[in-house]
Amino acid sequence: MMVKLRKLTAILLIPALILLSMYMAPAASADAVEGDIIVILGEDLTAAQKEQVLADLDAPADAMTIQVTNEEEHKYLGSHMSKAQIGSKALSSAKIVIGKPGSGVSATSNHINWVTNDMYLNAMITAGVKDAHVSITAPFDVSGTAALTGIIKAYETTTDTQIPEEQKQVANEEIVKTAQLSDSIGAEETTTLMTNIKEELAQNQPETREEMQTMIVNIANNLNITIPEAQLNGLVDLFMNMKDANINWNAVGDQLEQAKQQFTDFIESEQGQGILAAIKDFFVGLIEIIKGWFS
């Protein structure tokens, strides 16, 4: 009975979480001073699918548009996923808006059923993306792993910034491995674990693989998270690759802290308090419904 109640509670919780995410997502700005809007379209979209994703992204008619190809997807994901998983068509699409300095990074998605918004956020920070809001979509439900390729390409085009190749590779590796880990331990636990590991790496760089594994295990234990053995090896590989990549760890730490502060500021704002009150009312009603079942 308790398992069923937990599942039902999770299902009923979805509207409240959606409501919160709608209010937290920053509004896209087309202010050229702070950054243009750029749209990324999968090269293999049909005309009808293109029209659909442009509507989903609420893309302005005059937005700069670039294409991401299936070859590019295989280039960055081929070492981490099978050819069958990547597929033969580039369909994932996105919109990126460059914000003012210090505005931080954020992500929202639609028709993405494997990679979470927080996973995109973490991978974007790893790649060196900053001060940008990204929307990801597809014409139908897809895993979402390939979208990061287009996001990085668009960010480089918009900001005239060249992200080092090894940084792109490790960011795509992070997307795949965190999504795989979330299947085992849960998306929220995975995001918390990855964020805590990155925060530690921003302060302390283990020299050896053994030291890296010890650090990851200790962080997981402190969070009461058990990492499956096979995926622990994959995480150690990932973070060793991160350590050896050309990543500005001071910037990573700053971006992670900025993301936390944005959440804190929102929660403490009048708007955030109103949303929390609405969620509280939702749970009060939920509890009354559950009580009624046993009456």
Side-chain angles (χ1 to χ4, degrees):
M1 174 63 75
M2 287 304 298
V3 172
K4 290 182 179 179
L5 286 177
R6 288 194 192 101
K7 289 183 178 179
L8 182 59
T9 301
I11 292 171
L12 293 174
L13 174 60
I14 290 173
L17 294 179
I18 292 174
L19 182 63
L20 179 59
S21 65
M22 287 172 59
Y23 277 87
M24 287 190 65
S29 170
D31 188 346
V33 174
E34 295 181 357
D36 292 330
I37 294 176
I38 186 166
V39 174
I40 309 103
L41 296 174
E43 185 183 47
D44 299 304
L45 291 168
T46 66
Q49 289 171 338
K50 178 180 177 181
E51 185 177 346
Q52 176 189 337
V53 298
L54 287 172
D56 286 346
L57 294 170
D58 192 23
D62 60 348
M64 182 188 301
T65 303
I66 64 171
Q67 288 189 330
V68 61
T69 69
N70 186 245
E71 288 74 20
E72 288 171 316
E73 294 176 2
H74 281 272
K75 175 182 178 180
Y76 290 108
L77 296 168
S79 299
H80 316 298
M81 301 176 70
S82 69
K83 289 183 178 181
Q85 286 177 302
I86 299 172
S88 59
K89 292 184 177 181
L91 300 173
S92 297
S93 301
K95 179 180 74 175
I96 183 168
V97 184
I98 305 302
K100 63 183 179 181
S103 61
V105 290
S106 57
T108 55
S109 60
N110 181 41
H111 289 306
I112 304 299
N113 60 15
W114 195 36
V115 180
T116 69
N117 295 338
D118 285 332
M119 291 177 198
Y120 283 119
L121 186 66
N122 256 310
M124 286 191 294
I125 290 173
T126 296
V129 175
K130 56 184 178 179
D131 301 328
H133 175 62
V134 175
S135 306
I136 306 104
T137 192
F140 45 80
D141 287 354
V142 297
S143 65
T145 51
L148 185 65
T149 301
I151 292 169
I152 294 173
K153 185 176 180 179
Y155 181 77
E156 288 183 310
T157 301
T158 308
T159 62
D160 197 25
T161 300
Q162 184 61 47
I163 297 174
E165 195 67 20
E166 62 268 25
Q167 214 163 324
K168 297 177 189 176
Q169 290 284 356
V170 79
N172 279 278
E173 179 184 359
E174 178 180 355
I175 278 282
V176 175
K177 288 186 174 176
T178 53
Q180 291 171 339
L181 182 60
S182 73
D183 286 340
S184 298
I185 67 173
E188 183 178 346
E189 290 80 1
T190 298
T191 298
T192 302
L193 176 64
M194 298 296 286
T195 301
N196 277 264
I197 293 172
K198 284 185 178 180
E199 287 175 336
E200 181 62 28
L201 281 175
Q203 302 296 323
N204 173 43
Q205 294 278 310
E207 293 296 326
T208 67
R209 181 180 176 84
E210 290 72 22
E211 290 175 351
M212 181 70 77
Q213 179 166 323
T214 298
M215 186 195 78
I216 292 172
V217 170
N218 287 341
I219 291 173
N221 289 340
N222 290 337
L223 296 169
N224 293 318
I225 292 173
T226 300
I227 305 172
E229 187 65 30
Q231 287 166 322
L232 174 60
N233 293 331
L235 279 186
V236 175
D237 290 340
L238 169 64
F239 283 106
M240 288 300 291
N241 290 339
M242 281 190 188
K243 185 178 78 72
D244 296 335
N246 186 26
I247 293 176
N248 183 339
W249 285 103
N250 288 332
V252 168
D254 290 344
Q255 287 288 309
L256 291 171
E257 186 59 36
Q258 199 171 59
K260 287 182 178 179
Q261 188 58 50
Q262 285 177 340
F263 180 79
T264 300
D265 291 345
F266 173 80
I267 291 300
E268 292 178 351
S269 70
E270 182 178 348
Q271 185 183 34
Q273 289 296 310
I275 297 301
L276 288 178
I279 292 174
K280 179 181 177 182
D281 291 343
F282 169 83
F283 278 109
V284 169
L286 175 64
I287 291 170
E288 291 302 318
I289 291 172
I290 294 173
K291 283 182 178 178
W293 293 343
F294 296 96
S295 299

